[in-house]
């Protein structure tokens, strides 16, 4: 049984989610990409686990395929590795009539999507996410990017995939902390709009993963459909990200993204409660949901450190910053404020519940 979520962006596409569908990825791409040569871009860890099965499925559906493998991890998400991927697409003889398949987590999806979008001025790409975070977040919505020395995701383009195929069984091989990262982003969707989803991730029943991933994708899809190019409502998806990005930056990117977003959500909810913007008990509920998924609820950084790191964030627009404030579980609002007020938020968020 699969779940299909339609994403109605400027070029609509389906996200197909199910258990055990990886070996059928060729069939799921057949109608869209038939006749094209496919370059499967993946990292070395995912290659060892899933590349052979994906190549076999694509080949048995009649596709001509080759692979491009790069070293895993955020450290690879840069212009140098992007250039290597582009060179390998060219060496493999990929033409404008062909396509890319991104197989892996968010790093792979962001890099392969970017590579496809600039290769010969843009060729189609499909996403096969293999982390929970990539499934519920990065594979959907069309943000592609690499990091620059000045910060994360600073070079990239908006480009929607032609299809997303998510086999939830691939999450079985994830290191627990990588799985937990995706739980934090899923809890975020619950805090944004869906108390029931929030509850489901507070006490996760893994046999329901396909259904829960589909629910997360539907929520993300709704924001993306309303604001494909991230100038309005899509900013809600940044819940927890202002402090989260600051934590990641201060840690030299050793604090994983989802873990940092979780801490950021607790901090902003705590600050919101103290300012009378957030229902009492919201921060505690978010913290409990995170802890149930072995996620941290605090960071070692001072409010002053977090503030300095956060004001360098790319979401800073002129002298103002927009933050997402939880009103209660299932409802949030945007608040634009002068950047210096962020220090007060960091102080209020840092203190005990
Ligand atoms: P990742 O791609 O680095 O994957 C994490 C680790 O898990 C890697 O070592 C990878 O090799 C390994 N891995 C992947 N699938 C596996 C599997 N099934 N079994 C075992 N190991 C597996 O990182 P991520 O956490 O998936 O994504 C984080 C990245 O996503 C960041 O670069 C972030 O900026 C980006 N991101 C992008 C968007 C977007 O909208 N484009 C949204 C959120 C995050
Ligand atoms: N991950 C945030 C977004 O896609 O907008």
């Amino acid at each position: 049984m699969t779940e299909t979520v339609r994403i109605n962006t400027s070029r609509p596409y389906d996200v197909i989610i199910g258990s055990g569908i990886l070996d059928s990825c060729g069939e799921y791409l057949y109608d869209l990409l038939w006749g094209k040569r496919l370059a499967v871009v993946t990292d070395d860890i995912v290659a060892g686990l899933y590349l052979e099965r994906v190549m076999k499925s694509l080949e048995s559906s009649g596709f001509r395929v080759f692979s491009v493998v790069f070293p895993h991890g955020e450290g690879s998400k840069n212009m140098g590795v992007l250039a290597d991927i582009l060179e390998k697409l060219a060496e493999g003889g990929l033409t404008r009539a062909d396509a890319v398949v991104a197989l892996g987590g968010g790093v792979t999806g962001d890099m392969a999507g970017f590579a496809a979008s600039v290769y010969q001025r843009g060729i189609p790409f499909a996403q096969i996410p293999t982390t929970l975070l990539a499934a519920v977040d990065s594979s959907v919505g069309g943000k592609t990017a690499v990091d620059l020395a000045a910060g994360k995701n600073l070079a990239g383009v908006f480009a929607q995939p032609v299809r997303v195929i998510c086999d939830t069984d691939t999450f079985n091989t994830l290191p627990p902390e990588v799985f937990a990262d995706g739980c934090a982003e899923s809890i975020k969707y619950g805090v944004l709009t869906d108390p029931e989803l929030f509850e489901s991730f507070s006490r996760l029943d893994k046999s329901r993963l396909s259904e829960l991933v589909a629910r997360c994708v539907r929520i993300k899809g709704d924001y993306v459909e309303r604001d494909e190019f991230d100038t309005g409502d899509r900013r809600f998806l940044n819940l927890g990200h202002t402090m989260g990005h600051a934590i990641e930056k201060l840690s030299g990117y050793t604090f994983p993204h989802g873990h940092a977003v979780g801490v950021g959500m607790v901090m902003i909810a705590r600050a919101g409660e103290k300012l009378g913007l957030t229902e009492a008990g919201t921060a505690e509920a978010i913290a409990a949901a995170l802890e149930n998924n072995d996620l941290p609820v605090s960071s070692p950084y001072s409010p002053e450190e977090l503030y300095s790191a956060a004001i360098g964030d790319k979401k800073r627009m002129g002298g103002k910053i927009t933050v997402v404030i939880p009103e209660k579980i299932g409802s949030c609002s945007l608040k634009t404020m002068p950047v210096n007020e962020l220090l007060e938020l960091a102080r209020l968020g840092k203190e005990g519940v």
Side-chain angles (χ1 to χ4, degrees), residues 137 143 220 234 237:
D137 192 354
K143 281 188 180 176
K220 172 148 190 187
R234 191 164 175 167
L237 297 173

Side-chain angles (χ1 to χ4, degrees), residues 229-244:
F229 299 105
D230 202 11
T231 56
D233 269 11
R234 191 164 175 167
R235 290 176 298 173
F236 277 99
L237 297 173
N238 291 328
L239 171 61
H241 282 59
T242 304
M243 291 302 158

Side-chain angles (χ1 to χ4, degrees), residues 43-46 49-50 72-74 77 104-108 110 130-131 133-134 137-140 143-144 147 152-153 170-171 173-175 178 181 185 220 234 257:
D43 73 30
D44 52 350
I45 291 181
V46 177
L49 291 165
Y50 300 115
H72 69 277
E74 189 71 30
K77 202 174 140 181
V107 165
T108 300
D110 281 12
T130 62
T131 65
L133 182 140
D137 192 354
S138 59
S139 65
V140 176
K143 281 188 180 176
T144 75
D147 303 333
K152 260 178 69 101
N153 296 327
T170 59
F171 308 154
T173 52
L174 286 174
V178 178
D181 260 336
E185 293 285 359
K220 172 148 190 187
R234 191 164 175 167
H257 178 73

